[in-house]
Amino acid sequence: MIDLKITHESWPLASTFRIARGSKSSAEVVHLTLMDHASGARGQAECVPYARYGETPQSVEAQIRSVAEALKGGITRQQLQPLLPRGAARNAVDCALWDLNAKRSGKAAYLEAGHRFLGTRQTYLTLSLADPQAMAEQARVHADHKELKMKVGGSDSDDAARIHAVRAAAPEARLIVDANEAWSHDNYTEMMRHCAQAHVSLVEQPLPAGEDEFLQTAPRPVPICADESAHCSRDLPDLLGKYDFVNIKLDKSGGLTEALAMQREARNLGFGIMVGCMVGTSLAMAPAMILAQDAEHVDLDGPLLMARDRQPPLPYTTNTIGPPPAQLWG
């Protein structure tokens, strides 16, 4: 018999975090615990409901409760997939099942996923959207970080100034520019020119999802990564010729099971891989460390943006992130 415990938690951020669509001062997450009374094992996971996809903590909790009876009956991760749509709710259930299976069997989740071990990976640190001078100051404060990701999405002139200001403040950093769908057909070429001048390594989701056809013939002086346009495996064939990389996030794909399938399919189709996250605690990042083992870009910095983290946390250093402690997940 498996019981569920679902909790809506609010985790304060170290400072207000802003992107093109808005700002937040806390991470609103849903925490799920699965308790197996037969074995005494417990599995846990965290998901981040995202308003961009019409999700709220309440809607996500309702979706999780809709599969409560199936979970009590011993449903597997594979059987779960068609019962919930991709998104935060399925992510929480899927990743909690991964953790529960690991706790029951004593076999680490990464082994079940086909890895021999989990290595430490370098992670990006995200700079919140602000005026050019403020973003340059953020970059200077974090000058010891080797990889930075900057949010853009204001006016054309401000975004150009932001890109060059951050590059001047962090001349050696590997840099990603994330527009969060805020650019347009009219300013795309000019913005990409500035990115190329600033030696940006990757531009993430420059145009609104659904306007990808434009990228089929548009110049790409810097590689482009699909984020809001890439949710799960079935999205990938339509992105060929439009994007160079895909950003795999557990809350988009609906859990580690589909994310691993998406990663395999992306490689088969020739895409590069970025592993990203919503803003959450170390528990939300932990399953993504399995995906991060085979990714060119790792952006799992959610806990670095928070005032405090779940305990025990993932082991972060200035530039790296290590495997999760077994007490946390997996």
Side-chain angles (χ1 to χ4, degrees):
M1 178 65 137
I2 294 177
D3 285 336
L4 288 71
K5 181 179 179 183
I6 310 169
T7 309
H8 171 203
E9 300 173 346
S10 183
W11 293 78
L13 303 187
S15 60
T16 300
F17 184 71
R18 184 182 171 213
I19 67 171
R21 277 190 292 272
S23 61
K24 61 168 63 180
S25 57
S26 65
E28 303 300 314
V29 311
V30 173
H31 179 258
L32 172 65
T33 302
L34 300 180
M35 297 161 282
D36 179 8
H37 294 289
S39 65
R42 294 188 178 202
Q44 67 169 344
E46 174 185 314
C47 69
V48 185
Y50 200 35
R52 166 67 176 79
Y53 302 124
E55 296 173 333
T56 66
Q58 294 74 28
S59 71
V60 165
E61 179 174 345
Q63 282 187 301
I64 294 172
R65 292 198 182 280
S66 74
V67 296
E69 291 304 313
L71 286 166
K72 290 176 181 178
I75 191 173
T76 65
R77 295 190 304 270
Q78 289 70 31
Q79 292 168 333
L80 168 69
Q81 303 307 303
L83 297 186
L84 287 174
R86 57 170 175 75
R90 196 176 73 190
N91 177 32
V93 179
D94 181 74
C95 288
L97 284 172
W98 275 91
D99 189 37
L100 181 62
N101 290 345
K103 299 299 192 292
R104 280 169 169 164
S105 66
K107 179 181 178 181
Y110 67 82
L111 293 172
E112 189 171 352
H115 291 278
R116 295 181 180 179
F117 65 94
L118 283 191
T120 297
R121 294 304 315 272
Q122 196 159 288
T123 183
Y124 283 85
L125 177 71
T126 304
L127 308 180
S128 178
L129 179 62
D131 64 59
Q133 294 74 24
M135 294 195 74
E137 181 57 27
Q138 289 182 60
R140 279 189 287 270
V141 167
H142 299 294
D144 50 352
H145 281 265
K146 297 178 181 178
E147 296 184 330
L148 296 173
K149 171 174 159 175
M150 62 177 294
K151 295 290 187 177
V152 296
S155 67
D156 297 2
S157 59
D158 283 348
D159 276 354
R162 288 180 178 108
I163 292 165
H164 291 292
V166 168
R167 172 49 80 205
E172 302 300 323
R174 194 182 190 197
L175 184 61
I176 289 178
V177 168
D178 186 3
N180 286 114
E181 305 180 277
W183 291 348
S184 68
H185 296 184
D186 292 335
N187 69 3
Y188 167 87
T189 300
E190 180 69 5
M191 290 299 100
M192 291 295 285
R193 182 178 68 82
H194 286 290
C195 288
Q197 288 175 348
H199 304 290
V200 169
S201 296
L202 193 69
V203 172
E204 198 175 344
Q205 196 69 41
L207 302 178
E211 296 187 14
D212 305 309
E213 201 62 37
F214 176 85
L215 299 174
Q216 190 82 50
T217 55
R220 293 208 296 271
V222 174
I224 301 178
C225 180
D227 183 1
E228 286 86 351
S229 291
H231 298 89
C232 56
S233 301
R234 67 173 178 266
D235 296 331
L236 298 177
D238 190 51
L239 303 180
L240 285 169
K242 305 167 188 175
Y243 291 94
D244 307 289
F245 285 76
V246 293
N247 187 347
I248 302 175
K249 294 179 180 176
L250 297 172
D251 279 309
K252 288 191 305 176
S253 68
L256 182 60
T257 300
E258 169 57 24
L260 287 166
M262 184 178 180
Q263 189 172 45
R264 289 191 294 270
E265 179 65 6
R267 287 298 188 203
N268 288 339
L269 293 173
F271 289 108
I273 303 293
M274 179 179 182
V275 174
C277 65
M278 308 303 185
V279 181
T281 76
S282 281
L283 180 56
M285 310 299 124
M289 278 299 291
I290 293 176
L291 299 169
Q293 302 304 300
D294 179 28
E296 290 88 340
H297 299 278
V298 177
D299 178 28
L300 297 178
D301 65 341
L304 299 179
L305 306 177
M306 305 186 73
R308 56 186 176 85
D309 195 6
R310 202 178 295 277
Q311 299 298 314
L314 284 170
Y316 283 91
T317 67
T318 299
N319 288 291
T320 65
I321 174 176
Q327 306 97 303
L328 176 67
W329 186 87

